[in-house]
Amino acid sequence: MLKKRKTRSTAKIRHGALIEKTDEAAYWLGFLMADGTVASSTNEIRLKLGIKDFEHVKKFGAYLGLPLERCKDYEKEALVTFSDKKVKHALIRYGIGPQKTFSAEVKSPHLINNRFFWAGFIDGDGSLHQDIPNEKQIRFFISAVSGSYKVMSQLKDFIFTETKIALTISTVQKESPNYVFSLSGKKAVRVIQLLYFDNPYALARKIEIARKAAIRYETELDGETIDWETATGHDHIWFEKNPRVINRPFRVVGPNDLHIGGFSTLEIAISARDYFYRLIAQNIPFQEAKTKVLKRFEEYFPKSYYAKESAVGYDKKRQLYICKLYYRTQIPGKKGKDVYILEHVNKQLVQAVNAIAKNLRQVGYVYEGRRARIAQGSFLYENSIPENWKNILIENELSVEKVSDLEDTIIAIWKEITS
C-alpha cells in the first residue's frame, strides 16, 4: 500500500537556513529556482524530485535542520516540505516566488553571479550527460531548459562573464515556449568545471559525470581550467588532434560544436567558416548550411583521408594491386593529384611499399611521376621507393625501431617473391 501523502508541514527549520549568505544556501536557492514550489496562499515551500534523487532530498532536509522523517519517498517521487513566513518573503525578494515557471528572475545581486546558485539551477532544470556514438568516441554535454527567458538570459550572461563562452538560447515550443541551451565538447567541460569543481553540495550523479568529462579532455575537475580557445587563434577553427587525420588538420566548428568539416589549409578553413556563418545569418538551418559548405569546398578535400596502410587498390582487368599517394597543392581552387607508386601482382609487396611511401609523404618527401623516377634510376622495387628512404625517415625523426620494422617487412616479402 502506498504511503498517504502529507502536503502540509508544520516542521520548523533552523534559524538562518536559506537566508544566510553561504555557498550552500546559494546552491539550494538555485535548486529551488528550478524545482522548488512556493505556495501562493500559505507559507509552504516544497522541493520535489524523482525518486532516484531521494538522497539529495534528504541532503536538503539535513541542511534545513529538519528531522529525517520529514523527507518523504513515494513510488515515483521524493519531496520535503516546510513552512516559514520569513523564508518565503526572502525567496520572493530573490525572485523565487509563486507561479514562477514563466516569470522567474534572479533579483538578488548576491545570487546572480554566484556559481553555486547556478550549479543548483542546473542540477534542477539542467542536464549533464554523455553520448557514445561508437566504442572509440564519447562526447559530454551540459544543457538547461526553463520556461523563463529572463532566467536563461541571466545564466547566459553569468557564463559569458566567467568564461567568455557565448551560449545560444533556443526556443522549444511545448504547451508554452521553453528556452534551452546546450554545449558539448571543450566548451561544455569548461562550464562544467566552473559550476562543479569544489562543489560538495551538487548531485552526486552529476559530479561523477563532471569528473569523467574533465578526464576526457586530459584535465581534472578540481584542477587547472580547460583551455577551450582554438589553437589556431581563429574563432571556430581547431587543429585536428586525431593522428590519423593528416590531410585535413583545420577543423571548422559551428554552433553547439556542430562539426562542419576538416580542411587542408587555414585559408580554406577560414573561407568555409565565413561562408557557413553567412548562411545561418540568413536563417538557413545548420545542417542545410553545412551541406552547402561541403558542396562548395569539396574540391579542396584531399583523398586518402582515413586510408589505412593496408588499403591498396586492385585492377581486376590487369589483375594488379596498386598503391598511389595524393598530394595537395595548398593552393585554393587548384586540385592536387595522384602519383602512382607501384603496380604489382603481389599484394603484400604493394602493402609494404604503400606503408613506406605514406611515411615518406608524412615527413614531406614529394614523389615525382613514374617516368621521372625511372629516368633517375635510384628507386627500389620497380621504381617505387627511393634507395635512401630509411635515411629520409630517420632524419625526419621517425623512430629507428619503426624504420627497422618497415625494412624487415619489405625485405622478407621481397625475398619470398624472388626466391
Side-chain angles (χ1 to χ4, degrees), residues 200-217:
Y201 320 114
L203 272 166
R205 58 185 173 85
K206 291 190 178 179
I207 286 287
E208 182 61 27
I209 295 175
R211 289 198 181 99
K212 290 180 180 179
I215 292 171
R216 167 67 177 80
Y217 288 92

Side-chain angles (χ1 to χ4, degrees), residues 327-363:
Y327 282 92
R328 295 173 282 117
T329 64
Q330 301 291 359
I331 301 173
K334 185 176 180 181
K335 295 182 181 181
K337 63 178 181 178
D338 289 312
V339 177
Y340 277 82
I341 307 301
L342 177 65
E343 300 176 342
H344 201 276
V345 295
N346 187 285
K347 182 178 180 180
Q348 288 183 309
L349 177 64
V350 177
Q351 289 175 331
V353 166
N354 191 44
I356 294 172
K358 286 189 175 182
N359 277 277
L360 288 169
R361 181 185 62 182
Q362 290 172 21
V363 300

Side-chain angles (χ1 to χ4, degrees), residues 234-277:
H234 295 268
D235 290 344
H236 311 294
I237 301 176
W238 301 80
F239 280 131
E240 178 58 70
K241 285 189 173 182
N242 188 334
R244 295 171 59 204
V245 182
I246 298 168
N247 296 322
R248 294 180 177 179
F250 298 99
R251 181 164 55 89
V252 177
V253 177
N256 298 324
D257 272 7
L258 171 69
H259 177 63
I260 298 169
F263 302 90
S264 56
T265 71
L266 181 58
E267 182 179 0
I268 296 170
I270 291 172
S271 297
R273 176 202 64 187
D274 292 347
Y275 181 50
F276 174 82
Y277 281 95

Side-chain angles (χ1 to χ4, degrees), residues 43 49 63 76 111 122 222 280 305 378 412:
N43 296 319
L49 303 178
Y63 164 76
K76 295 183 179 180
L111 298 177
I122 293 291
D222 295 340
I280 64 172
Y305 175 35
S378 58

Side-chain angles (χ1 to χ4, degrees), residues 352 381 390 406-416 418:
Y381 312 112
K390 291 181 291 183
L406 292 170
E407 182 183 31
D408 290 345
T409 299
I410 199 164
I411 288 176
I413 294 169
W414 188 248
K415 283 183 177 178
E416 183 178 337
T418 56

Side-chain angles (χ1 to χ4, degrees), residues 135-300:
E135 61 181 11
K136 294 183 179 180
Q137 291 184 337
I138 182 170
R139 297 184 73 190
F140 288 89
F141 297 79
I142 184 171
S143 61
V145 59
S146 175
S148 169
Y149 182 77
K150 182 65 177 179
V151 163
M152 293 297 282
S153 296
Q154 291 174 316
L155 173 57
K156 175 182 177 178
D157 292 344
F158 167 74
I159 289 176
F160 184 79
T161 298
E162 296 295 324
T163 68
K164 297 300 182 288
I165 295 174
L167 302 181
T168 298
I169 299 176
S170 304
T171 303
V172 177
Q173 188 69 39
K174 297 183 179 178
E175 292 183 3
S176 299
N178 276 259
Y179 304 95
V180 301
F181 87 85
S182 180
L183 284 177
S184 64
K186 280 188 173 182
K187 292 184 179 181
V189 175
R190 176 66 189 92
V191 173
I192 287 170
Q193 282 184 310
L194 169 67
L195 300 177
Y196 288 92
F197 86 88
D198 194 22
N199 186 342
Y201 320 114
L203 272 166
R205 58 185 173 85
K206 291 190 178 179
I207 286 287
E208 182 61 27
I209 295 175
R211 289 198 181 99
K212 290 180 180 179
I215 292 171
R216 167 67 177 80
Y217 288 92
E218 300 175 355
T219 186
E220 295 179 1
L221 184 62
D222 295 340
E224 185 176 347
T225 54
I226 191 169
D227 177 15
W228 62 271
E229 296 286 354
T230 67
T232 64
H234 295 268
D235 290 344
H236 311 294
I237 301 176
W238 301 80
F239 280 131
E240 178 58 70
K241 285 189 173 182
N242 188 334
R244 295 171 59 204
V245 182
I246 298 168
N247 296 322
R248 294 180 177 179
F250 298 99
R251 181 164 55 89
V252 177
V253 177
N256 298 324
D257 272 7
L258 171 69
H259 177 63
I260 298 169
F263 302 90
S264 56
T265 71
L266 181 58
E267 182 179 0
I268 296 170
I270 291 172
S271 297
R273 176 202 64 187
D274 292 347
Y275 181 50
F276 174 82
Y277 281 95
R278 284 199 301 272
L279 291 173
I280 64 172
Q282 300 168 20
N283 294 321
I284 294 176
F286 291 169
Q287 287 296 337
E288 183 180 343
K290 174 180 176 178
T291 299
K292 288 179 179 290
V293 169
L294 298 183
K295 185 174 182 180
R296 171 173 287 195
F297 291 93
E298 65 183 351
E299 66 183 78
Y300 303 134

